[in-house]
Amino acid sequence: MTITITAFERSPDGGKGLARDTRVRWALEEAGLPYSVRLVSFAGMKEAAHLAVHPFGQIPTYEEGDLALFETGAIVFHIADRHAGLLPEDPDARARAITWMFAALNTVETPILDLQTAKFAEGDKPWAQERLPLVVDRIRARLRQLADRLGDAEWLDGAFSAGDLLMVSVLLRLRMSGILDEFPTLASYVARGEARPAYQRAFAAQLAINAPASS
Ligand code: GTB
């Protein structure tokens, strides 16, 4: 059955792969699934046709026959649950990999999102310069804990899993800030994720849409 996902008509990041469709593309590539992409504008996301699939008017979405999903974590889990390569067969190892998926989105990404908010949405507020160091310190604390747990391991729990896919994707959002480089263990972990052929294909596919046209 054909899989169709949605992505920005033109991502504000200009092709850095930070919009969340890249996570879904990566999961589809890891699973070896062909897919098509429906590009949506910011205005189109708020129109009834898109809201019928995504109640919050965002990307990405995932459609497969009669099934329509939103929320990146749920989409990646759906792909990982139904296809080999992203979750272990062993039930306990599978549960731990799913735990890492939640940890990436609920525990590690949340302070990182605060940084985006503090910089871009609240940067002009009179208290912004006071708040920023607090936000950055909370990120550093999380990354320290994550780096301690990862240690010298290649991936978070045995073989590469959907937990790593989401964790690497979340950490990638920090690259521009320089904070990731303060944690060489995590910088290397992210580099291992980016080196995976499936990630490379996903990144190239979004870049083909989002790269600024050369003059
Ligand atoms: N919880 C939802 C999920 O995980 O799927 C969040 C989805 C979401 O935030 N979607 C964003 C969106 O549609 C795009 S990915 N925004 C439009 C809107 O809300 O109107 C977030 C994103 C956007 C841009 C960059 N960037 O330019 O670097 C990075 C990440």
Side-chain angles (χ1 to χ4, degrees), residues 12-19 112 115-116 119-120 136 139 143 168-182 187 190 194 203:
D13 73 0
K16 292 192 177 67
L18 300 177
I112 294 173
L115 180 63
Q116 318 285 319
K119 275 187 175 170
F120 303 115
V136 170
I139 294 173
L143 296 195
V168 167
S169 300
V170 160
L171 294 175
L172 272 167
R173 294 191 75 159
L174 278 178
R175 173 165 289 147
M176 299 283 283
S177 72
I179 301 172
L180 189 60
D181 294 330
E182 296 173 24
V190 168
E194 287 180 295
F203 184 86

Side-chain angles (χ1 to χ4, degrees), residues 150-161:
L150 183 65
D152 295 331
E154 192 176 12
W155 305 114
L156 288 167
D157 191 313
F160 176 83
S161 79

Side-chain angles (χ1 to χ4, degrees), residues 7-8 10-24 40-43 45-46 50 54 56-61 70-75 105 109 113 116 120 166 173 176:
F8 281 132
R10 183 60 66 97
S11 175
D13 73 0
K16 292 192 177 67
L18 300 177
R20 291 172 199 230
D21 60 288
T22 305
R23 304 173 185 193
V24 173
V40 281
S41 64
F42 277 95
M45 275 179 232
K46 311 302 173 198
H50 188 73
H54 197 308
F56 307 114
Q58 295 182 312
I59 60 98
T61 59
F70 60 97
E71 281 299 330
T72 313
I75 296 169
L105 300 178
E109 189 163 41
L113 290 176
Q116 318 285 319
F120 303 115
L166 288 178
R173 294 191 75 159
M176 299 283 283

Side-chain angles (χ1 to χ4, degrees), residues 75-122:
I75 296 169
V76 170
F77 175 71
H78 171 77
I79 296 164
D81 194 40
R82 305 244 174 136
H83 304 276
L86 282 166
L87 284 175
E89 288 293 319
D90 173 72
D92 286 358
R94 196 176 181 90
R96 289 195 303 274
I98 293 167
T99 300
W100 280 114
M101 294 178 69
F102 278 85
L105 300 178
N106 286 353
T107 304
V108 179
E109 189 163 41
T110 37
I112 294 173
L113 290 176
D114 278 350
L115 180 63
Q116 318 285 319
T117 307
K119 275 187 175 170
F120 303 115
E122 299 169 351

